[in-house]
Amino acid sequence: MVNALSAYTRGFLTQTNFSRTDEAGEKSAKLPEKSDHARSTVIKDTVEISAEARKLAQAEQAKNALRDAKVSYFEQFRPTREGFSSRNLALGIVDPSAQPFSQNRPFDEVAQAARENMDSKYQQMRESGEPYGTDNFEGKETYSLMGDLDRRALYAVASNEGGHFSEEEQQTAKDLMLGQQGMAMGLYNGPTRLDGVYKITQATSNADHMQKYAAGIHYMDQVSTEEKATSVDWAQQRGRMQYNYERLSRDSGITPQNHNIYHPAANFIFGALESYFGFANDADIGSRKDLLNEPWFEGYRDRLGSVMAETRDLYGLNDL
């Protein structure tokens, strides 16, 4: 994947030197006005990469190698049937902005491609003699079915883009996305037998919890434009994580880092939490309905629709 750094590396301080060499040849002999000592000019390109450019390229290679190692590490927690892959699901933990499946295509095309990919997986499982759902131990069926989908494609399924997906498929995609976010925050999500393999220290203090909320904020800020623009779930999670991070910081006597974001819906939900005088329950909220039922959101319910419309307009997706 081409990014700003690699593009910069290719364009930065690439020096071309031209040297001229002698060439005695038949062409010279055919020119009577030229002496035997006449010379034709041959241009040779000599490319010299500066030390700074080499360092940038090496840093990019090291960054990619580290990312690949992280993806391989997380892939073990997404076991599949033999012959299937969950690498893109693991990549969605490490880099939710990566689009090896979506490839920046229009969102409706991503949904159609996801539908076709999943249908081919269903067919492959049927032809094996073990249709989907035969043995979902450790989530193998789920990871096998949607293992090719990147985070953006998962959201296309979860949001039922184009009306292509069943309620079960939508919920499965939502669960996978929550699992990705959890792992990125240092919250284990995977087979019980691998719980001891997971290399994340459990939170035991306010500082630990703050770190996890900060990691969650960083993760959520990298997801696709469609998810940020249209998902109430994204907005409420983003708002709640920032609220909890800042609350824990104040309780610990620490000045919180600035995690503000220009996002109407996330800021709206953050404001609702900040203005609530009781204890804002941190229960799981998996839908717009769940959010509307929260007591701390009571005075804000009627404005949610207009705020979401404002958010979609901000991202240029008000037609979705």
Side-chain angles (χ1 to χ4, degrees):
M1 180 177 66
V2 177
N3 58 30
L5 180 58
S6 57
Y8 174 69
T9 302
R10 288 200 301 268
F12 179 62
L13 291 180
T14 299
Q15 301 173 348
T16 302
N17 295 327
F18 297 97
S19 60
R20 303 190 182 276
T21 59
D22 294 342
E23 181 186 68
E26 184 177 348
K27 187 174 181 180
S28 298
K30 292 179 180 179
L31 299 176
E33 66 276 18
K34 300 285 186 179
S35 68
D36 291 339
H37 299 289
R39 298 169 180 176
S40 63
T41 302
V42 177
I43 300 176
K44 291 186 178 180
D45 293 346
T46 301
V47 179
E48 296 179 1
I49 307 299
S50 70
E52 183 174 356
R54 285 196 297 272
K55 287 181 180 179
L56 285 172
Q58 291 168 358
E60 181 74 356
Q61 291 173 354
K63 178 182 176 182
N64 291 337
L66 178 60
R67 189 179 83 156
D68 288 344
K70 288 181 178 179
V71 173
S72 296
Y73 168 73
F74 282 114
E75 194 173 3
Q76 67 182 310
F77 302 109
R78 300 291 181 262
T80 65
R81 291 187 181 199
E82 185 175 355
F84 290 77
S85 172
S86 63
R87 189 164 183 82
N88 283 351
L89 292 179
L91 175 61
I93 298 171
V94 177
D95 182 6
S97 68
Q99 296 188 19
F101 184 89
S102 299
Q103 297 178 344
N104 295 308
R105 289 179 290 185
F107 201 48
D108 58 341
E109 293 182 13
V110 174
Q112 183 61 45
R115 177 73 275 164
E116 293 171 359
N117 182 272
M118 291 164 60
D119 285 344
S120 71
K121 298 298 176 65
Y122 283 130
Q123 180 65 23
Q124 187 176 348
M125 292 177 187
R126 284 193 296 269
E127 291 176 352
S128 74
E130 296 182 346
Y132 176 78
T134 301
D135 178 14
N136 199 32
F137 178 64
E138 296 187 340
K140 284 196 300 183
E141 303 290 83
T142 297
Y143 301 139
S144 299
L145 175 65
M146 299 189 183
D148 288 343
L149 305 186
D150 54 35
R151 174 84 183 192
R152 184 170 178 242
L154 279 179
Y155 182 63
V157 179
S159 61
N160 196 23
E161 172 66 21
H164 298 301
F165 308 99
S166 68
E167 290 186 4
E168 180 183 355
E169 289 169 339
Q170 293 172 50
Q171 188 58 55
T172 297
K174 290 177 183 177
D175 291 342
L176 290 174
M177 293 168 70
L178 284 171
Q180 288 176 330
Q181 177 189 339
M183 291 288 267
M185 293 175 65
L187 306 172
Y188 183 66
N189 177 271
T192 303
R193 64 182 170 84
L194 295 175
D195 192 7
V197 178
Y198 193 50
K199 302 174 183 177
I200 301 293
T201 304
Q202 297 300 314
T204 59
S205 66
N206 276 2
D208 293 335
H209 288 295
M210 287 167 56
Q211 188 276 328
K212 291 187 184 301
Y213 282 125
I217 291 169
H218 175 70
Y219 180 86
M220 295 299 277
D221 285 354
Q222 297 180 76
V223 304
S224 69
T225 296
E226 290 84 5
E227 186 175 349
K228 286 188 284 191
T230 66
S231 174
V232 172
D233 189 49
W234 183 94
Q236 63 85 13
Q237 286 192 62
R238 180 58 170 79
R240 287 166 61 211
M241 283 192 292
Q242 182 168 346
Y243 168 78
N244 287 325
Y245 169 81
E246 294 192 7
R247 176 175 57 84
L248 288 171
S249 298
R250 291 191 294 268
D251 290 348
S252 302
I254 300 172
T255 300
Q257 294 183 4
N258 184 357
H259 291 295
N260 292 338
I261 183 174
Y262 182 54
H263 188 281
N267 293 338
F268 179 67
I269 291 168
F270 176 82
L273 287 162
E274 285 274 81
S275 65
Y276 188 62
F277 292 102
F279 174 70
N281 184 20
D282 199 28
D284 289 335
I285 301 175
S287 67
R288 178 190 292 254
K289 181 179 178 181
D290 291 341
L291 175 63
L292 294 175
N293 285 333
E294 286 293 309
W296 53 266
F297 200 64
E298 182 176 1
Y300 292 77
R301 294 169 184 164
D302 294 341
R303 294 157 54 196
L304 180 61
S306 62
V307 171
M308 287 305 300
E310 181 183 351
T311 302
R312 292 191 296 271
D313 186 61
L314 173 68
Y315 287 93
L317 299 177
N318 223 349
D319 57 335
L320 295 182

